[in-house]
Amino acid sequence: MAANLPEQVGKEAILVKGWWRANKWLLLRRFSQLSILLLFLSGPLLGEGYWIAKGNLTSSLTFEILPLTDPYILLQSFFAGHEIISQAFIGAVIVTVFYFLVGGRVFCSWVCPVNIVTDTADGLRRKFKIKGGARFSSDLRYWILVMTLVLAVVTGSIAWEFINPVSILHRSIIFGFGYAGFVILAIFIFDLLLSRQGWCGHLCPVGAFYSLLGRYSFIRVSAKERDNCDDCMDCFMVCPEKQVIKPALKGADKGIGPVIMDKNCTNCGRCIDVCAKDVFKFSNRFNNDTLLNVSKKKEVAP
Amino acid sequence: MFEHQLSRRRFIVETARAASGVALLGVGLGLYTKESKSLPVYALRPPGVKNEDDFLAACIRCGLCVRDCPYDILKLSKLAEPVALGTPYFEARKIPCEMCEDIPCVKACPTGALNKDLTNIDDARMGLAVIVDQETCLNYQGLRCDVCHRVCPLLNEAITLEPRHNQRSGKHTLFIPVVHSDKCTGCGKCERACVLEEAAIKILPLDLAKGELGRHYRLGWEEKEKAGKSLVTPDTEHKYNLPEGLKYEHEGKGLLKDSR
């Protein structure tokens, strides 16, 4: 079967699996992103001073007891010359352990509000058949990550926070918008017209940091039924990090297991949604036995 | 061989491209950061901030201090405001610090950007009150406004009223408000309460508000008190070489004929 047209992505899955199942993980992610925002707004929403979560994504306190701190910003603070105290450190350890297990870039697709903006841009690119634009290495983000840490040392302050769109958007929603809309509009236009997944997939050092955090994470997407793949290309079309799919999906002949091991897979599950053949499912990194598939293939082949 | 060279060439070019692009971004952001380090004088930091440089290394802009401030005094800086983006501040003239005894903002701060060593709010130094305009301050005109003095949480300690002769009327007293830097916390209540259209007393950053003696400088009377005696050899009494029959009276009478 030939590849589907970009604007047709996911249509087949809806026909085969129904709308809900073909959008299950997307809906769950949006629910997760929005409810996390709502938790931080619980004070005014629930009335007089009752906060479920206080603060924002850089540091928060949930139910007055659970401290969470972004390890990346704490690292920058350390590089800027500030001594880390236990309150922030405990919060950062909890966050680190969590993402170490579930996948670092789960932050990107399940928590970060910028993801909603860039996903929308990507969807509109497909719908309006906007192609091309600037292309640069997706490793650029690691250079930027290093740059932010160097800048912290050189300037003696958390320099990246002066322009970080991730915290700008999240903080703005919670503490008041100001001119933050322009930054978000810039990211949107950049992703829509200048570069596909340009921000999240190529530049964002926050995502880069979390990808390293989840390098060996437990929960992974697996192309378990990769033998059923009919090359419709829908998964490639929707994946925010295209390069992560191929080794797992097409690597059977090379002895590569079906689990997507790339650190930049965001565990967004959109490939699971759009696949009409149910090739993908959530699994874990140890469920990566190639032999199973090879023997299965042998049974079918002759 | 040729292909190998080509790929190596490509690798070097791509790496150089990424590095230079990112370096360019870094230089721009670095300069912007340096520029953003200056805090406008009207913006005051919450209690427990020693200096702006250290604060910008420590504050992760989470807003937990804002949430725990019972009087909603603190706010986080938004884009295009002249305060470092996302950091907490307040403006004394709009709404001053209430100086809570349990200092909830300091307790809430997860990183210690608001220093945990601050346990007595009277030790806070958010700035220093300064009478910036003697020409409009009512007390300087001889009126009994006294509002800054009366609203001060450290009444008669941080601001005292010092009597001085009123030269205009010739018979009244001016009650001059004097701020004492060893007590003033910079809470801003005086600036908020000043009855003028534009406050004559303002909270300024400490380094702007305070002078500093040269480190070698010693005040004689202080040294004398410390040592318990004068540190310089006493002057020998002046001797006059007067014509016979004259003497000099030091108590004010001057030159006198010797009545002998």
Side-chain angles (χ1 to χ4, degrees):
Chain A
M1 184 183 161
N4 287 334
L5 293 168
E7 61 271 28
Q8 297 290 328
V9 165
K11 294 267 164 68
E12 197 188 343
I14 293 173
L15 282 177
V16 176
K17 309 198 286 190
W19 192 87
W20 286 102
R21 264 198 68 213
N23 287 292
K24 176 178 153 192
W25 293 105
L26 178 66
L27 292 170
L28 283 172
R29 281 196 304 121
R30 292 292 176 260
F31 177 75
S32 158
Q33 287 162 327
L34 293 175
S35 46
I36 287 170
L37 277 176
L38 288 177
L39 292 184
F40 284 107
L41 288 167
S42 55
L45 290 177
L46 297 177
E48 219 31 54
Y50 187 77
W51 294 93
I52 296 174
K54 283 194 288 197
N56 61 36
L57 289 182
T58 61
S59 194
S60 63
L61 190 64
T62 304
F63 292 121
E64 296 291 335
I65 182 93
L66 174 70
L68 296 173
T69 301
D70 174 14
Y72 173 48
I73 199 168
L74 203 61
L75 192 67
Q76 289 175 77
S77 175
F78 178 70
F79 273 60
H82 180 66
E83 201 181 315
I84 294 173
I85 67 166
S86 60
Q87 208 169 328
F89 186 72
I90 293 167
V93 167
I94 296 173
V95 171
T96 304
V97 168
F98 176 75
Y99 286 116
F100 186 80
L101 292 175
V102 302
R105 295 208 58 198
V106 160
F107 169 79
C108 301
S109 58
W110 290 79
V111 179
C112 182
V114 175
N115 170 269
I116 304 177
V117 178
T118 58
D119 268 2
T120 308
D122 197 15
L124 290 175
R125 265 182 91 89
R126 282 196 298 275
K127 190 167 180 196
F128 295 111
K129 300 174 200 164
I130 303 168
K131 290 202 181 79
R135 286 182 58 183
F136 31 85
S137 162
S138 60
D139 285 341
L140 201 53
R141 51 187 148 197
Y142 297 103
W143 288 87
I144 295 180
L145 175 62
V146 171
M147 182 268 282
T148 61
L149 296 176
V150 171
L151 264 192
V153 176
V154 173
T155 64
S157 65
I158 308 175
W160 183 246
E161 280 309 298
F162 283 93
I163 56 167
N164 183 4
V166 174
S167 50
I168 286 177
L169 179 59
H170 192 255
R171 189 172 52 237
S172 302
I173 294 170
I174 293 165
F175 288 93
F177 235 82
Y179 290 94
F182 290 107
V183 174
I184 304 316
L185 188 67
I187 296 281
F188 177 74
I189 291 174
F190 178 69
D191 266 29
L192 180 69
L193 300 175
L194 291 175
S195 178
R196 179 184 182 265
Q197 290 288 353
W199 179 254
C200 301
H202 296 81
L203 300 178
C204 180
V206 182
F209 176 85
Y210 278 91
S211 79
L212 299 177
L213 211 61
R215 181 72 193 84
Y216 301 102
S217 69
F218 180 69
I219 296 179
R220 297 277 170 174
V221 174
S222 169
K224 201 163 190 294
E225 310 295 332
R226 57 188 173 183
D227 298 339
N228 293 341
C229 174
D230 63 357
D231 298 335
C232 77
M233 295 290 280
D234 277 10
C235 56
F236 281 96
M237 225 83 81
V238 294
C239 181
E241 301 278 351
K242 285 178 192 294
Q243 74 280 9
V244 309
I245 295 182
K246 198 177 172 191
L249 186 60
K250 297 294 167 193
D253 301 334
K254 294 173 195 152
I256 302 172
V259 174
I260 296 176
M261 293 297 237
D262 195 295
K263 61 182 179 296
N264 271 312
C265 172
T266 69
N267 277 359
C268 73
R270 193 67 183 133
C271 54
I272 306 176
D273 279 348
V274 299
C275 183
K277 304 287 180 192
D278 279 333
V279 167
F280 300 94
K281 62 178 282 189
F282 273 114
S283 179
N284 66 68
R285 67 179 303 114
F286 302 109
N287 228 337
N288 199 18
D289 208 341
T290 39
L291 297 173
L292 268 176
N293 290 57
V294 173
S295 59
K296 200 168 157 191
K297 209 165 197 177
K298 270 179 189 159
E299 277 169 38
V300 184
Chain B
M1 183 67 188
F2 178 71
E3 237 176 46
H4 177 69
Q5 273 181 345
L6 200 69
S7 74
R8 187 167 68 186
R9 187 189 150 80
R10 217 181 112 187
F11 173 76
I12 293 171
V13 169
E14 299 252 307
T15 308
R17 198 178 275 165
S20 54
V22 170
L24 213 61
L25 177 70
V27 169
L29 179 56
L31 292 175
Y32 177 63
T33 306
K34 286 274 180 202
E35 200 181 288
S36 307
K37 276 192 167 187
S38 54
L39 186 69
V41 281
Y42 64 80
L44 302 178
R45 293 300 187 191
V49 176
K50 281 217 180 76
N51 67 65
E52 184 69 3
D53 269 6
D54 292 350
F55 183 66
L56 289 182
C59 173
I60 59 173
R61 300 120 207 258
C62 65
L64 281 167
C65 55
V66 175
R67 287 291 181 245
D68 278 8
C69 175
Y71 301 97
D72 286 338
I73 287 154
L74 297 172
K75 54 190 168 184
L76 294 184
S77 163
K78 298 192 188 85
L79 273 175
E81 286 180 7
V83 179
L85 181 62
T87 55
Y89 73 102
F90 69 99
E91 291 170 61
R93 187 63 166 167
K94 287 184 180 157
I95 177 165
C97 174
E98 289 289 337
M99 288 175 56
C100 311
E101 281 192 4
D102 53 345
I103 331 180
C105 50
V106 171
K107 276 190 189 149
C109 179
T111 64
L114 309 182
N115 201 316
K116 306 274 181 205
D117 294 341
L118 181 73
T119 47
N120 178 0
I121 189 64
D122 292 346
D123 295 336
R125 291 291 178 271
M126 295 170 267
L128 180 62
V130 177
I131 308 275
V132 290
D133 190 6
Q134 307 183 356
E135 292 175 344
T136 49
C137 171
L138 295 177
N139 273 40
Y140 270 88
Q141 317 315 311
L143 302 165
R144 290 303 302 274
C145 165
D146 300 0
V147 166
C148 55
H149 171 250
R150 274 184 282 119
V151 297
C152 180
L154 294 162
L155 185 69
N156 257 330
E157 293 182 60
I159 302 180
T160 54
L161 295 175
E162 307 291 336
R164 192 190 290 174
H165 177 59
N166 185 341
Q167 299 222 344
R168 181 180 54 80
S169 73
K171 55 188 170 189
H172 297 101
T173 304
L174 304 177
F175 288 85
I176 302 299
V178 176
V179 181
H180 302 277
S181 64
D182 57 334
K183 296 285 183 192
C184 174
T185 63
C187 72
K189 288 229 153 180
C190 51
E191 181 179 341
R192 174 77 188 93
C194 179
V195 299
L196 303 186
E197 289 293 312
E198 182 68 44
I201 188 165
K202 289 195 168 110
I203 308 297
L204 299 182
L206 275 169
D207 53 353
L208 197 64
K210 284 291 287 178
E212 191 185 345
L213 280 175
R215 244 152 270 158
H216 65 285
Y217 208 93
R218 300 287 179 271
L219 298 172
W221 57 90
E222 282 182 0
E223 298 304 315
K224 191 176 173 182
E225 200 168 310
K226 252 190 260 172
K229 61 175 170 104
S230 177
L231 294 178
V232 287
T233 343
D235 291 339
T236 47
E237 204 182 328
H238 187 77
K239 281 181 181 155
Y240 295 93
N241 200 8
L242 297 169
E244 213 164 313
L246 288 178
K247 66 167 185 181
Y248 197 88
E249 163 57 61
H250 282 277
E251 301 304 313
K253 291 179 187 157
L255 206 55
L256 293 175
K257 270 186 191 160
D258 203 343
S259 57
R260 234 174 347 175

